[in-house]
Amino acid sequence: MGRIVKGVVMDAAYVLVHSPSVGPLTWASTAQTLEGSGAMAIVPSLLGVADARPPFWWSVAEKVRAAIDRLPPDQPVVIVAHSNAGLFVPVIVEATSRRIVGCLFVDAALPSPAGPTPVAPPEL
C-alpha cells in the first residue's frame, strides 16, 4: 500500500468528501494536518449539487471523479467521507477508474451492503 507514518499512507492522496449538507470547510483543518504530515489531501467542493437535477448522486460522483482525475495517474487514492457523504462512496468509487486503496467513513452514514439505502427512517 505504501509507507505509513503515524497512521497516514504517505504516497496516497486523501480525497476528503464533505456532506452536501455542509461545506468543504468541514475538512479544512484535516487537510492541513495531512499536508503537514507530508500527505496529499484534496477537498472537492460539493456546493451546489442540490441545484442539479435528480438523481443527485450523479453530480456528487462526477465532481469527486473530476477532482481525482487531476491527481497524478499512478497515485493511490483514499476516499474519506463525512456524514451523508458516506452514502455516495459506492458511486464515487464506481465513477473513477483510479485505484482506490481505502475508504474511510468519519461520523458518516454507511451505505447498505446490497440494495437501496434509505436516507431517512420510514417514519420521517
Side-chain angles (χ1 to χ4, degrees), residues 31-92:
Q32 289 175 332
T33 300
L34 283 165
E35 290 169 349
S37 297
M40 178 178 279
I42 60 172
V43 184
S45 176
L46 300 181
L47 295 176
V49 296
D51 297 334
R53 295 186 55 184
F56 301 109
W57 60 263
W58 187 89
S59 181
V60 170
E62 187 61 26
K63 284 181 178 256
V64 177
R65 185 208 50 79
I68 291 171
D69 283 351
R70 290 190 291 273
L71 295 168
D74 60 339
Q75 187 165 35
V77 174
V78 175
I79 306 291
V80 186
H82 171 256
S83 189
N84 275 344
L87 299 175
F88 298 106
V89 169
V91 294
I92 290 169

Short mmCIF file of all heavy atoms in Angstrom, two decimals, residues 31-92:
data_model
loop_
_atom_site.label_atom_id
_atom_site.label_comp_id
_atom_site.label_asym_id
_atom_site.label_seq_id
_atom_site.Cartn_x
_atom_site.Cartn_y
_atom_site.Cartn_z
N ALA A 31 -7.33 18.53 6.22
CA ALA A 31 -6.48 18.63 5.02
C ALA A 31 -5.14 19.27 5.38
O ALA A 31 -4.08 18.78 4.95
CB ALA A 31 -7.19 19.43 3.93
N GLN A 32 -5.16 20.32 6.18
CA GLN A 32 -3.91 20.98 6.60
C GLN A 32 -3.04 20.03 7.41
O GLN A 32 -1.83 19.99 7.23
CB GLN A 32 -4.21 22.24 7.41
CG GLN A 32 -4.76 23.37 6.58
CD GLN A 32 -5.16 24.55 7.44
OE1 GLN A 32 -5.51 24.41 8.61
NE2 GLN A 32 -5.11 25.74 6.84
N THR A 33 -3.65 19.27 8.31
CA THR A 33 -2.89 18.33 9.13
C THR A 33 -2.26 17.24 8.27
O THR A 33 -1.09 16.90 8.45
CB THR A 33 -3.80 17.69 10.21
OG1 THR A 33 -4.32 18.74 11.04
CG2 THR A 33 -3.04 16.69 11.06
N LEU A 34 -3.02 16.69 7.34
CA LEU A 34 -2.48 15.66 6.45
C LEU A 34 -1.33 16.23 5.62
O LEU A 34 -0.27 15.60 5.51
CB LEU A 34 -3.57 15.12 5.52
CG LEU A 34 -4.55 14.14 6.15
CD1 LEU A 34 -5.78 13.95 5.27
CD2 LEU A 34 -3.87 12.81 6.43
N GLU A 35 -1.51 17.41 5.04
CA GLU A 35 -0.46 18.03 4.24
C GLU A 35 0.76 18.35 5.09
O GLU A 35 1.89 18.22 4.63
CB GLU A 35 -1.00 19.26 3.53
CG GLU A 35 -1.99 18.89 2.44
CD GLU A 35 -2.77 20.06 1.88
OE1 GLU A 35 -2.72 21.18 2.46
OE2 GLU A 35 -3.45 19.87 0.86
N GLY A 36 0.54 18.74 6.35
CA GLY A 36 1.65 19.00 7.27
C GLY A 36 2.44 17.75 7.59
O GLY A 36 3.61 17.81 7.95
N SER A 37 1.80 16.58 7.44
CA SER A 37 2.47 15.30 7.66
C SER A 37 3.15 14.79 6.40
O SER A 37 3.73 13.72 6.39
CB SER A 37 1.46 14.25 8.13
OG SER A 37 0.90 14.60 9.35
N GLY A 38 3.01 15.54 5.30
CA GLY A 38 3.63 15.13 4.05
C GLY A 38 2.72 14.39 3.11
O GLY A 38 3.14 13.96 2.04
N ALA A 39 1.45 14.21 3.48
CA ALA A 39 0.50 13.52 2.61
C ALA A 39 -0.21 14.54 1.72
O ALA A 39 -0.22 15.73 2.01
CB ALA A 39 -0.52 12.75 3.45
N MET A 40 -0.82 14.06 0.66
CA MET A 40 -1.61 14.92 -0.21
C MET A 40 -3.08 14.79 0.20
O MET A 40 -3.56 13.69 0.43
CB MET A 40 -1.47 14.53 -1.67
CG MET A 40 -2.32 15.37 -2.60
SD MET A 40 -2.11 14.96 -4.33
CE MET A 40 -0.63 15.87 -4.66
N ALA A 41 -3.76 15.93 0.28
CA ALA A 41 -5.18 15.93 0.61
C ALA A 41 -5.89 16.91 -0.30
O ALA A 41 -5.40 18.02 -0.55
CB ALA A 41 -5.40 16.33 2.06
N ILE A 42 -7.04 16.48 -0.83
CA ILE A 42 -7.87 17.38 -1.63
C ILE A 42 -9.29 17.33 -1.09
O ILE A 42 -9.73 16.30 -0.55
CB ILE A 42 -7.85 17.04 -3.14
CG1 ILE A 42 -8.37 15.62 -3.41
CG2 ILE A 42 -6.45 17.21 -3.71
CD1 ILE A 42 -8.56 15.32 -4.89
N VAL A 43 -9.99 18.44 -1.22
CA VAL A 43 -11.37 18.55 -0.75
C VAL A 43 -12.22 19.05 -1.91
O VAL A 43 -12.34 20.25 -2.13
CB VAL A 43 -11.49 19.50 0.46
CG1 VAL A 43 -12.92 19.52 0.98
CG2 VAL A 43 -10.51 19.13 1.56
N PRO A 44 -12.80 18.13 -2.69
CA PRO A 44 -13.67 18.58 -3.77
C PRO A 44 -14.92 19.25 -3.20
O PRO A 44 -15.50 18.76 -2.24
CB PRO A 44 -14.04 17.31 -4.52
CG PRO A 44 -13.47 16.18 -3.76
CD PRO A 44 -12.69 16.70 -2.61
N SER A 45 -15.29 20.37 -3.76
CA SER A 45 -16.48 21.08 -3.28
C SER A 45 -17.75 20.46 -3.86
O SER A 45 -17.86 20.26 -5.07
CB SER A 45 -16.41 22.55 -3.68
OG SER A 45 -17.61 23.19 -3.27
N LEU A 46 -18.67 20.17 -2.98
CA LEU A 46 -19.98 19.66 -3.41
C LEU A 46 -21.04 20.74 -3.30
O LEU A 46 -22.24 20.45 -3.39
CB LEU A 46 -20.38 18.44 -2.57
CG LEU A 46 -19.42 17.25 -2.64
CD1 LEU A 46 -19.95 16.11 -1.80
CD2 LEU A 46 -19.19 16.82 -4.07
N LEU A 47 -20.61 21.99 -3.11
CA LEU A 47 -21.57 23.08 -3.06
C LEU A 47 -22.33 23.13 -4.38
O LEU A 47 -21.75 23.00 -5.45
CB LEU A 47 -20.85 24.41 -2.81
CG LEU A 47 -20.15 24.55 -1.47
CD1 LEU A 47 -19.40 25.87 -1.39
CD2 LEU A 47 -21.13 24.42 -0.31
N GLY A 48 -23.60 23.28 -4.30
CA GLY A 48 -24.42 23.41 -5.50
C GLY A 48 -24.93 22.10 -6.07
O GLY A 48 -25.68 22.12 -7.05
N VAL A 49 -24.55 20.94 -5.49
CA VAL A 49 -25.04 19.69 -6.09
C VAL A 49 -26.56 19.57 -5.99
O VAL A 49 -27.19 18.95 -6.85
CB VAL A 49 -24.37 18.42 -5.51
CG1 VAL A 49 -22.89 18.40 -5.81
CG2 VAL A 49 -24.63 18.27 -4.04
N ALA A 50 -27.15 20.18 -4.98
CA ALA A 50 -28.61 20.12 -4.86
C ALA A 50 -29.30 20.98 -5.91
O ALA A 50 -30.50 20.85 -6.14
CB ALA A 50 -29.04 20.56 -3.46
N ASP A 51 -28.53 21.85 -6.58
CA ASP A 51 -29.09 22.65 -7.67
C ASP A 51 -29.21 21.85 -8.96
O ASP A 51 -29.89 22.26 -9.89
CB ASP A 51 -28.23 23.89 -7.92
CG ASP A 51 -28.20 24.82 -6.73
OD1 ASP A 51 -29.17 24.81 -5.93
OD2 ASP A 51 -27.20 25.55 -6.58
N ALA A 52 -28.51 20.72 -9.02
CA ALA A 52 -28.57 19.86 -10.20
C ALA A 52 -29.91 19.14 -10.22
O ALA A 52 -30.63 19.10 -9.23
CB ALA A 52 -27.43 18.85 -10.16
N ARG A 53 -30.20 18.55 -11.35
CA ARG A 53 -31.43 17.77 -11.46
C ARG A 53 -31.22 16.40 -10.83
O ARG A 53 -30.13 15.85 -10.88
CB ARG A 53 -31.81 17.61 -12.92
CG ARG A 53 -32.16 18.96 -13.54
CD ARG A 53 -32.66 18.80 -14.92
NE ARG A 53 -33.80 17.88 -14.87
CZ ARG A 53 -34.43 17.45 -15.94
NH1 ARG A 53 -34.06 17.84 -17.11
NH2 ARG A 53 -35.43 16.61 -15.83
N PRO A 54 -32.25 15.81 -10.24
CA PRO A 54 -32.12 14.46 -9.72
C PRO A 54 -31.79 13.49 -10.84
O PRO A 54 -32.15 13.74 -11.99
CB PRO A 54 -33.50 14.16 -9.13
CG PRO A 54 -34.18 15.49 -9.00
CD PRO A 54 -33.56 16.40 -10.02
N PRO A 55 -31.12 12.41 -10.59
CA PRO A 55 -30.63 11.98 -9.28
C PRO A 55 -29.35 12.72 -8.90
O PRO A 55 -28.45 12.90 -9.71
CB PRO A 55 -30.37 10.49 -9.47
CG PRO A 55 -30.02 10.36 -10.93
CD PRO A 55 -30.82 11.43 -11.63
N PHE A 56 -29.26 13.15 -7.64
CA PHE A 56 -28.15 13.98 -7.16
C PHE A 56 -26.85 13.20 -7.03
O PHE A 56 -25.78 13.78 -7.09
CB PHE A 56 -28.52 14.63 -5.83
CG PHE A 56 -29.74 15.49 -5.94
CD1 PHE A 56 -30.93 15.11 -5.36
CD2 PHE A 56 -29.73 16.68 -6.66
CE1 PHE A 56 -32.07 15.89 -5.47
CE2 PHE A 56 -30.85 17.47 -6.79
CZ PHE A 56 -32.04 17.08 -6.19
N TRP A 57 -26.94 11.90 -6.85
CA TRP A 57 -25.72 11.10 -6.68
C TRP A 57 -24.80 11.24 -7.87
O TRP A 57 -23.59 11.20 -7.75
CB TRP A 57 -26.05 9.62 -6.39
CG TRP A 57 -26.82 8.94 -7.48
CD1 TRP A 57 -28.17 8.76 -7.54
CD2 TRP A 57 -26.30 8.38 -8.69
NE1 TRP A 57 -28.51 8.11 -8.69
CE2 TRP A 57 -27.38 7.86 -9.43
CE3 TRP A 57 -25.01 8.25 -9.20
CZ2 TRP A 57 -27.23 7.23 -10.65
CZ3 TRP A 57 -24.86 7.61 -10.43
CH2 TRP A 57 -25.95 7.12 -11.14
N TRP A 58 -25.37 11.39 -9.07
CA TRP A 58 -24.54 11.50 -10.26
C TRP A 58 -23.66 12.75 -10.20
O TRP A 58 -22.47 12.71 -10.52
CB TRP A 58 -25.41 11.53 -11.52
CG TRP A 58 -24.59 11.46 -12.76
CD1 TRP A 58 -24.19 10.33 -13.41
CD2 TRP A 58 -24.02 12.56 -13.48
NE1 TRP A 58 -23.40 10.67 -14.50
CE2 TRP A 58 -23.29 12.04 -14.56
CE3 TRP A 58 -24.06 13.93 -13.33
CZ2 TRP A 58 -22.61 12.83 -15.48
CZ3 TRP A 58 -23.38 14.74 -14.23
CH2 TRP A 58 -22.68 14.18 -15.29
N SER A 59 -24.23 13.86 -9.78
CA SER A 59 -23.49 15.12 -9.68
C SER A 59 -22.37 15.01 -8.64
O SER A 59 -21.25 15.49 -8.86
CB SER A 59 -24.44 16.26 -9.32
OG SER A 59 -23.76 17.48 -9.24
N VAL A 60 -22.67 14.39 -7.51
CA VAL A 60 -21.65 14.19 -6.47
C VAL A 60 -20.50 13.34 -7.00
O VAL A 60 -19.33 13.71 -6.90
CB VAL A 60 -22.25 13.53 -5.21
CG1 VAL A 60 -21.16 13.11 -4.23
CG2 VAL A 60 -23.25 14.47 -4.54
N ALA A 61 -20.83 12.20 -7.60
CA ALA A 61 -19.80 11.30 -8.12
C ALA A 61 -18.96 11.99 -9.20
O ALA A 61 -17.73 11.83 -9.24
CB ALA A 61 -20.43 10.02 -8.67
N GLU A 62 -19.58 12.77 -10.05
CA GLU A 62 -18.87 13.46 -11.13
C GLU A 62 -17.91 14.52 -10.59
O GLU A 62 -16.78 14.64 -11.06
CB GLU A 62 -19.89 14.09 -12.09
CG GLU A 62 -19.26 14.69 -13.32
CD GLU A 62 -18.50 13.68 -14.18
OE1 GLU A 62 -18.81 12.47 -14.14
OE2 GLU A 62 -17.58 14.11 -14.88
N LYS A 63 -18.34 15.29 -9.59
CA LYS A 63 -17.46 16.31 -9.01
C LYS A 63 -16.24 15.67 -8.34
O LYS A 63 -15.13 16.17 -8.47
CB LYS A 63 -18.23 17.18 -8.01
CG LYS A 63 -19.14 18.18 -8.67
CD LYS A 63 -19.85 19.02 -7.63
CE LYS A 63 -20.72 20.06 -8.29
NZ LYS A 63 -20.15 21.39 -8.24
N VAL A 64 -16.46 14.59 -7.60
CA VAL A 64 -15.35 13.93 -6.93
C VAL A 64 -14.44 13.25 -7.95
O VAL A 64 -13.21 13.34 -7.86
CB VAL A 64 -15.85 12.93 -5.86
CG1 VAL A 64 -14.69 12.19 -5.22
CG2 VAL A 64 -16.67 13.66 -4.79
N ARG A 65 -15.01 12.62 -8.97
CA ARG A 65 -14.20 11.99 -10.01
C ARG A 65 -13.34 13.02 -10.72
O ARG A 65 -12.15 12.78 -10.97
CB ARG A 65 -15.09 11.28 -11.04
CG ARG A 65 -14.26 10.50 -12.09
CD ARG A 65 -14.97 10.37 -13.42
NE ARG A 65 -15.51 11.58 -13.97
CZ ARG A 65 -14.79 12.52 -14.61
NH1 ARG A 65 -13.50 12.39 -14.77
NH2 ARG A 65 -15.38 13.60 -15.08
N ALA A 66 -13.89 14.18 -11.02
CA ALA A 66 -13.12 15.23 -11.69
C ALA A 66 -11.93 15.67 -10.82
O ALA A 66 -10.84 15.91 -11.33
CB ALA A 66 -14.02 16.41 -12.02
N ALA A 67 -12.13 15.77 -9.52
CA ALA A 67 -11.04 16.14 -8.61
C ALA A 67 -9.97 15.04 -8.58
O ALA A 67 -8.77 15.33 -8.62
CB ALA A 67 -11.58 16.40 -7.21
N ILE A 68 -10.40 13.80 -8.55
CA ILE A 68 -9.46 12.67 -8.54
C ILE A 68 -8.67 12.63 -9.85
O ILE A 68 -7.47 12.36 -9.85
CB ILE A 68 -10.21 11.34 -8.30
CG1 ILE A 68 -10.74 11.29 -6.86
CG2 ILE A 68 -9.30 10.13 -8.58
CD1 ILE A 68 -11.68 10.12 -6.58
N ASP A 69 -9.32 12.94 -10.96
CA ASP A 69 -8.66 12.92 -12.26
C ASP A 69 -7.52 13.93 -12.36
O ASP A 69 -6.64 13.79 -13.21
CB ASP A 69 -9.66 13.16 -13.38
CG ASP A 69 -10.51 11.95 -13.69
OD1 ASP A 69 -10.22 10.85 -13.16
OD2 ASP A 69 -11.48 12.09 -14.47
N ARG A 70 -7.52 14.95 -11.51
CA ARG A 70 -6.44 15.94 -11.53
C ARG A 70 -5.20 15.47 -10.76
O ARG A 70 -4.16 16.13 -10.81
CB ARG A 70 -6.94 17.28 -10.97
CG ARG A 70 -7.93 17.96 -11.90
CD ARG A 70 -8.25 19.38 -11.48
NE ARG A 70 -9.02 19.47 -10.25
CZ ARG A 70 -10.35 19.42 -10.19
NH1 ARG A 70 -11.06 19.27 -11.29
NH2 ARG A 70 -10.97 19.54 -9.04
N LEU A 71 -5.30 14.36 -10.07
CA LEU A 71 -4.17 13.80 -9.33
C LEU A 71 -3.23 13.08 -10.29
O LEU A 71 -3.66 12.65 -11.37
CB LEU A 71 -4.67 12.81 -8.26
CG LEU A 71 -5.51 13.41 -7.14
CD1 LEU A 71 -6.17 12.29 -6.34
CD2 LEU A 71 -4.66 14.30 -6.25
N PRO A 72 -1.97 12.89 -9.89
CA PRO A 72 -1.07 12.10 -10.73
C PRO A 72 -1.67 10.72 -10.99
O PRO A 72 -2.25 10.10 -10.09
CB PRO A 72 0.21 12.00 -9.89
CG PRO A 72 0.16 13.20 -8.99
CD PRO A 72 -1.30 13.42 -8.70
N PRO A 73 -1.57 10.21 -12.23
CA PRO A 73 -2.28 8.98 -12.60
C PRO A 73 -1.88 7.73 -11.82
O PRO A 73 -2.69 6.83 -11.68
CB PRO A 73 -1.96 8.81 -14.08
CG PRO A 73 -0.93 9.81 -14.42
CD PRO A 73 -0.84 10.80 -13.33
N ASP A 74 -0.68 7.67 -11.30
CA ASP A 74 -0.24 6.47 -10.59
C ASP A 74 -0.41 6.59 -9.07
O ASP A 74 -0.05 5.68 -8.33
CB ASP A 74 1.21 6.14 -10.94
CG ASP A 74 2.15 7.28 -10.57
OD1 ASP A 74 1.70 8.43 -10.43
OD2 ASP A 74 3.36 7.01 -10.43
N GLN A 75 -0.99 7.68 -8.60
CA GLN A 75 -1.12 7.90 -7.16
C GLN A 75 -2.33 7.15 -6.61
O GLN A 75 -3.45 7.31 -7.11
CB GLN A 75 -1.26 9.38 -6.86
CG GLN A 75 -1.24 9.68 -5.38
CD GLN A 75 -1.01 11.15 -5.14
OE1 GLN A 75 -1.46 11.99 -5.89
NE2 GLN A 75 -0.27 11.44 -4.09
N PRO A 76 -2.11 6.30 -5.58
CA PRO A 76 -3.26 5.62 -4.96
C PRO A 76 -4.15 6.65 -4.25
O PRO A 76 -3.69 7.71 -3.84
CB PRO A 76 -2.63 4.66 -3.95
CG PRO A 76 -1.18 4.96 -3.92
CD PRO A 76 -0.85 5.94 -4.98
N VAL A 77 -5.42 6.32 -4.12
CA VAL A 77 -6.41 7.24 -3.58
C VAL A 77 -7.13 6.60 -2.40
O VAL A 77 -7.50 5.43 -2.44
CB VAL A 77 -7.43 7.62 -4.67
CG1 VAL A 77 -8.57 8.46 -4.12
CG2 VAL A 77 -6.74 8.35 -5.82
N VAL A 78 -7.33 7.41 -1.35
CA VAL A 78 -8.16 7.02 -0.21
C VAL A 78 -9.33 7.99 -0.16
O VAL A 78 -9.14 9.20 -0.12
CB VAL A 78 -7.37 7.08 1.13
CG1 VAL A 78 -8.30 6.78 2.31
CG2 VAL A 78 -6.20 6.12 1.12
N ILE A 79 -10.54 7.46 -0.21
CA ILE A 79 -11.75 8.27 -0.10
C ILE A 79 -12.11 8.36 1.38
O ILE A 79 -12.22 7.34 2.06
CB ILE A 79 -12.94 7.64 -0.86
CG1 ILE A 79 -12.59 7.35 -2.32
CG2 ILE A 79 -14.20 8.49 -0.71
CD1 ILE A 79 -12.41 8.55 -3.18
N VAL A 80 -12.30 9.58 1.88
CA VAL A 80 -12.68 9.79 3.28
C VAL A 80 -13.99 10.58 3.27
O VAL A 80 -14.04 11.71 2.80
CB VAL A 80 -11.60 10.57 4.06
CG1 VAL A 80 -11.97 10.66 5.54
CG2 VAL A 80 -10.23 9.92 3.89
N ALA A 81 -15.05 9.96 3.75
CA ALA A 81 -16.39 10.56 3.69
C ALA A 81 -16.88 10.95 5.08
O ALA A 81 -16.67 10.23 6.05
CB ALA A 81 -17.37 9.59 3.05
N HIS A 82 -17.54 12.11 5.13
CA HIS A 82 -18.13 12.58 6.37
C HIS A 82 -19.65 12.68 6.22
O HIS A 82 -20.16 13.06 5.17
CB HIS A 82 -17.56 13.97 6.71
CG HIS A 82 -18.25 14.63 7.86
ND1 HIS A 82 -19.16 15.66 7.69
CD2 HIS A 82 -18.19 14.39 9.19
CE1 HIS A 82 -19.61 16.03 8.87
NE2 HIS A 82 -19.04 15.28 9.80
N SER A 83 -20.36 12.32 7.27
CA SER A 83 -21.80 12.48 7.35
C SER A 83 -22.50 11.77 6.18
O SER A 83 -22.16 10.64 5.85
CB SER A 83 -22.14 13.97 7.44
OG SER A 83 -23.50 14.16 7.72
N ASN A 84 -23.44 12.45 5.53
CA ASN A 84 -24.18 11.81 4.45
C ASN A 84 -23.35 11.56 3.21
O ASN A 84 -23.80 10.87 2.30
CB ASN A 84 -25.44 12.61 4.09
CG ASN A 84 -26.60 12.26 4.99
OD1 ASN A 84 -26.59 11.24 5.67
ND2 ASN A 84 -27.62 13.08 5.00
N ALA A 85 -22.14 12.08 3.15
CA ALA A 85 -21.26 11.75 2.02
C ALA A 85 -20.95 10.26 2.00
O ALA A 85 -20.63 9.70 0.95
CB ALA A 85 -19.98 12.56 2.08
N GLY A 86 -21.06 9.61 3.14
CA GLY A 86 -20.83 8.17 3.20
C GLY A 86 -21.74 7.40 2.27
O GLY A 86 -21.37 6.36 1.71
N LEU A 87 -22.95 7.90 2.07
CA LEU A 87 -23.90 7.23 1.20
C LEU A 87 -23.47 7.24 -0.26
O LEU A 87 -23.90 6.42 -1.06
CB LEU A 87 -25.29 7.87 1.33
CG LEU A 87 -25.90 7.82 2.73
CD1 LEU A 87 -27.20 8.60 2.77
CD2 LEU A 87 -26.11 6.38 3.18
N PHE A 88 -22.59 8.19 -0.62
CA PHE A 88 -22.15 8.33 -2.01
C PHE A 88 -20.89 7.54 -2.33
O PHE A 88 -20.49 7.47 -3.50
CB PHE A 88 -21.92 9.80 -2.34
CG PHE A 88 -23.14 10.65 -2.23
CD1 PHE A 88 -23.32 11.51 -1.16
CD2 PHE A 88 -24.15 10.56 -3.19
CE1 PHE A 88 -24.46 12.30 -1.06
CE2 PHE A 88 -25.29 11.34 -3.09
CZ PHE A 88 -25.45 12.22 -2.02
N VAL A 89 -20.24 6.97 -1.33
CA VAL A 89 -18.95 6.30 -1.57
C VAL A 89 -19.04 5.23 -2.66
O VAL A 89 -18.18 5.19 -3.54
CB VAL A 89 -18.35 5.76 -0.25
CG1 VAL A 89 -17.16 4.85 -0.52
CG2 VAL A 89 -17.94 6.92 0.65
N PRO A 90 -20.02 4.34 -2.66
CA PRO A 90 -20.06 3.33 -3.73
C PRO A 90 -20.10 3.93 -5.13
O PRO A 90 -19.41 3.46 -6.03
CB PRO A 90 -21.32 2.52 -3.42
CG PRO A 90 -21.52 2.68 -1.95
CD PRO A 90 -21.08 4.10 -1.67
N VAL A 91 -20.90 4.99 -5.35
CA VAL A 91 -20.97 5.58 -6.68
C VAL A 91 -19.73 6.39 -7.02
O VAL A 91 -19.36 6.50 -8.18
CB VAL A 91 -22.27 6.40 -6.89
CG1 VAL A 91 -23.48 5.50 -6.86
CG2 VAL A 91 -22.39 7.54 -5.91
N ILE A 92 -19.07 6.96 -6.00
CA ILE A 92 -17.81 7.66 -6.24
C ILE A 92 -16.75 6.67 -6.70
O ILE A 92 -16.06 6.90 -7.69
CB ILE A 92 -17.34 8.41 -4.97
CG1 ILE A 92 -18.27 9.59 -4.67
CG2 ILE A 92 -15.89 8.86 -5.11
CD1 ILE A 92 -18.06 10.22 -3.31
#
